Amino acid sequence: MQRALRLLEAAGSHSGGAPAKQLAREAGLPLPTAYHLLRTLTHEGYLRREGGVFVLGDAAARLGQGGLQQKRRSMILDSLAHFRDAVGAPVYFAVYREGEIEVVGVSDTPANPACEEWADFRATAHAHAIGQCLLGQLDEETRRDYYDRHPVEGITPYTVRDMRTLEERIGSLGRMQPVTERQEYALGTVCAAIPITAGDTAATMAISLPVHQESRLLCVVDRLRSEVGALLSTLSFSISI
């Protein structure tokens, strides 16, 4: 495996491709071994042979994209851990992608655990601060498409009960105003979410607290907003969409 990767790295360093002998030399491999691995890599789609030289194939490109996505995800989780420690509460990052709510990352600690997803997060945007914050960033037609697929309904005694009431709440929100909810998604939990600028994609970061710490909620979310703003302004934090 390691020898094959060395060959792929060697091939990737030549935009116009390279012959087998050159790749073997750069990878530090005997020519017979290199020939065998090159045939295998070509068969699997990691390399293509064109005019006597080997170039990266589609499978190698997908492998590279996967590595880049993993790197970006790791960066997001590291940033969430920073925010978690700065505000002393679980921190969530979510986006609205292809018609659904997607929680990209969560960072918590044993002392401050995240809210348990007991009802499908994607289908209950009306009930949690993350979902309400994301819905508020969408146009009316896109929101109604979401409601058609995921009707507004009560999941706790505190959940907003109908689409009209929810739309009135969303319409009353200021552009960058935090969205808060009290036990609407999970009993015993309060949440707050802030909108995040991420190109054309609706995104949000949020925090949750036990209901007995509700008095801290706005202070904590304001701290989160200042921390996020500082990192975004120095380009130290990048959102992968």
Side-chain angles (χ1 to χ4, degrees):
M1 180 66 175
Q2 188 175 24
R3 294 178 300 179
L5 288 175
R6 293 210 304 269
L7 281 173
L8 286 175
E9 290 173 354
S13 67
H14 300 281
S15 59
K21 289 183 179 180
Q22 183 177 355
L23 294 177
R25 184 171 62 252
E26 293 179 1
L29 297 174
L31 190 56
T33 301
Y35 274 130
H36 171 72
L37 291 172
L38 288 170
R39 283 196 297 269
T40 301
L41 291 169
T42 301
H43 177 73
E44 296 295 334
Y46 291 100
L47 292 174
R48 295 196 317 272
R49 189 169 187 176
E50 298 180 351
V53 300
F54 291 90
V55 297
L56 293 180
D58 293 340
R62 291 193 296 271
L63 186 66
Q65 290 170 356
L68 181 60
Q69 290 172 354
Q70 183 60 35
K71 182 177 180 180
R72 287 176 175 169
R73 178 171 175 78
S74 177
M75 178 183 64
I76 288 173
L77 293 177
D78 287 346
S79 297
L80 291 180
H82 165 82
F83 297 139
R84 175 202 68 205
D85 294 342
V87 304
V91 177
Y92 311 74
F93 171 54
V95 299
Y96 189 82
R97 182 162 22 217
E98 298 179 354
E100 300 294 349
I101 305 296
E102 180 181 338
V103 178
V104 178
V106 180
S107 187
D108 64 355
T109 64
N112 295 297
C115 177
E116 182 179 353
E117 184 180 355
W118 71 273
D120 189 349
F121 226 63
R122 296 169 300 175
T124 55
H126 64 283
H128 45 74
I130 284 174
Q132 292 176 26
C133 186
L134 291 173
L135 290 173
Q137 297 176 59
L138 307 176
D139 58 55
E140 184 175 345
E141 181 180 353
T142 306
R143 283 202 305 273
R144 290 190 179 277
D145 171 71
Y146 178 85
Y147 299 145
D148 286 343
R149 290 178 289 109
H150 304 297
V152 176
E153 59 185 4
I155 61 173
T156 80
Y158 303 92
T159 309
V160 63
R161 296 290 174 173
D162 58 82
M163 188 176 70
R164 179 179 177 181
T165 303
L166 179 62
E167 282 289 289
E168 289 176 353
R169 178 188 296 185
I170 288 174
S172 69
L173 295 172
R175 182 172 176 272
M176 298 304 291
Q177 180 180 345
V179 177
T180 63
E181 60 92 352
R182 183 181 189 275
Q183 303 191 94
E184 293 181 44
Y185 175 77
L187 295 177
T189 301
V190 293
C191 299
I194 55 175
I196 298 294
T197 300
D200 295 330
T201 301
T204 183
M205 292 189 68
I207 54 98
S208 63
L209 293 171
V211 69
H212 69 268
Q213 296 182 24
E214 184 175 5
S215 60
R216 295 180 54 219
L217 188 65
L218 291 180
C219 178
V220 172
V221 79
D222 282 345
R223 177 69 185 276
L224 175 64
R225 183 160 49 182
S226 66
E227 289 285 334
V228 171
L231 282 182
L232 284 174
S233 65
T234 59
L235 302 180
S236 298
F237 176 61
S238 174
I239 296 172
S240 171
I241 302 299

